[in-house]
Amino acid sequence: MDRITGMRVFARAAGDGSLSAAARHLAMSPAMATKHVNALEARLGVKLFHRSTRQLRLTEAGSEYLEACQRILAEIDEAEAAVTSQQVKASGLLRMAVPLSFGRGFIAPLMPHFARRHPEVTVELGLSDAQVDLLAGQWDLAIRIGRLVDSPLVARKLGDSTMVVCASPDYLAGHGTPRRTGDLAGHNCLGYTLSAMQDRKHWRFGERGDIRVPVHGNLLANNGDALMAAALGGQGIIYQPHFIVADALDRGGLVALQLDRPVASLGGIHVLYPADRRPPAKVRAMIDFLHDAFTRAPPLNRAV
């Protein structure tokens, strides 16, 4: 049986947790999907899944093979898409989900340049810090910031960003400047509710975020711009990505704090899209445009 199709069935089943769901996505019968996985296992001489009537779980060998499959399939898709994009003109509606603050500061300003290059593409930006389900088919692309989890999506890296602990000069003048992470317990720490680096009672430090520091504060928000506004007004200390607070730091409205522990790594900034065999030309055009914009003339220079 076709080895590449077998790898696609395997990767989709691993992501969906079901051979029947993988079959539906790939427009084949469940029996055919099963045959493809059986053929892979026979060729490799190992079991890729632990199977039961209700559950499909990867074996250890399956987990290792999945990583290789995702890389190989992504390269195949990239090669096919590159050829297709040269032959088909980008046009139509492109729906892209982007984190609110990052979208306002870094993506929206690029859109006039994209429009001049691809005048037949209409872009709909969905600005929200909530993650959308790209596999549901309502969105073509998404930009995500942070560490990626295993998924059947294809990711292309745009850049990196760091975290910053900061506060206004007025707040520091009235409450003192913390020098150690332990000092944060005595300050008003304003929390971001959607971050893996923060919860209501702790902020995480260290490269891997494995150092939990107790904090408390009288404001929580699901948007970084809202927390920055409160910090600018002197309400407390915030722990935010550099791209959100860069302008305020440059203007002196906020001051970056140097503590005894390194800030946690925020992870990469990626554009993600479903692993179709031939992404539409409009999708390919936007991915290439963003990659070019963030690598040749990086707007994130201050945030890296």
Side-chain angles (χ1 to χ4, degrees):
M1 302 188 74
D2 176 48
R3 185 177 300 185
I4 299 301
T5 301
M7 294 171 70
R8 290 189 185 278
V9 173
F10 165 69
R12 174 65 72 172
D16 292 345
S18 165
L19 276 168
S20 59
R24 286 194 300 272
H25 278 115
L26 297 172
M28 66 176 64
S29 69
M32 182 57 70
T34 301
K35 286 182 179 180
H36 276 292
V37 173
N38 288 344
L40 272 183
E41 291 180 330
R43 182 183 298 115
L44 297 170
V46 297
K47 285 291 185 184
L48 299 174
F49 290 116
H50 295 296
R51 307 187 212 184
S52 67
T53 55
R54 295 186 176 181
Q55 193 173 32
L56 193 70
R57 292 185 299 108
L58 287 168
T59 63
E60 183 176 351
S63 295
E64 294 180 2
Y65 189 58
L66 176 61
E67 183 177 345
C69 281
Q70 290 173 330
R71 183 179 67 253
I72 292 168
L73 292 172
E75 290 175 356
I76 292 172
D77 290 338
E78 288 279 330
E80 291 183 346
V83 174
T84 303
S85 64
Q86 293 173 6
Q87 299 173 350
V88 181
K89 190 172 185 179
S91 63
L93 175 65
L94 176 74
R95 304 188 73 224
M96 182 165 62
V98 186
L100 177 57
S101 301
F102 186 77
R104 290 173 56 186
F106 293 93
I107 299 301
L110 292 175
M111 290 302 96
H113 306 286
F114 180 82
R116 286 192 288 270
R117 190 176 300 180
H118 302 283
E120 296 185 22
V121 177
T122 299
V123 177
E124 178 182 341
L125 288 181
L127 300 177
S128 172
D129 290 336
Q131 289 193 3
V132 301
D133 181 5
L134 282 176
L135 298 179
Q138 296 180 347
W139 297 91
D140 299 296
L141 297 169
I143 291 178
R144 291 185 184 162
I145 301 171
R147 301 184 185 277
L148 297 179
V149 298
D150 289 339
S151 79
L153 301 174
V154 179
R156 190 166 184 184
K157 191 172 184 180
L158 300 179
D160 292 288
S161 186
T162 57
M163 296 285 288
V164 182
V165 181
C166 53
S168 71
D170 287 345
Y171 175 87
L172 298 175
H175 298 83
T177 300
R179 304 296 180 186
R180 303 171 61 85
T181 52
D183 297 340
L184 294 175
H187 287 267
N188 195 34
C189 296
L190 314 182
Y192 179 53
T193 58
L194 298 181
S195 173
M197 297 298 106
Q198 305 178 33
D199 58 39
R200 295 176 184 273
K201 296 183 179 180
H202 297 90
W203 285 357
R204 293 180 178 272
F205 289 83
E207 178 65 22
R208 296 189 300 272
D210 52 356
I211 302 171
R212 299 177 72 214
V213 175
V215 297
H216 65 87
N218 62 6
L219 178 65
L220 301 167
N222 65 354
N223 176 257
D225 287 330
L227 294 173
M228 182 178 67
L232 286 168
Q235 186 171 352
I237 297 174
I238 57 174
Y239 188 23
Q240 287 292 297
H242 197 289
F243 64 78
I244 289 180
V245 299
D247 287 341
L249 292 172
D250 288 346
R251 296 193 307 267
L254 294 176
V255 177
L257 305 181
Q258 302 300 319
L259 303 176
D260 62 326
R261 301 281 192 174
V263 294
S265 173
L266 182 61
I269 300 170
H270 296 84
V271 55
L272 287 83
Y273 59 100
D276 298 326
R277 283 198 170 202
R278 290 184 175 86
K282 61 184 179 180
V283 171
R284 190 71 251 154
M286 179 61 79
I287 294 169
D288 290 342
F289 171 80
L290 291 176
H291 186 263
D292 181 70
F294 280 83
T295 54
R296 295 196 179 186
L300 289 176
N301 272 344
R302 292 174 302 162
V304 173

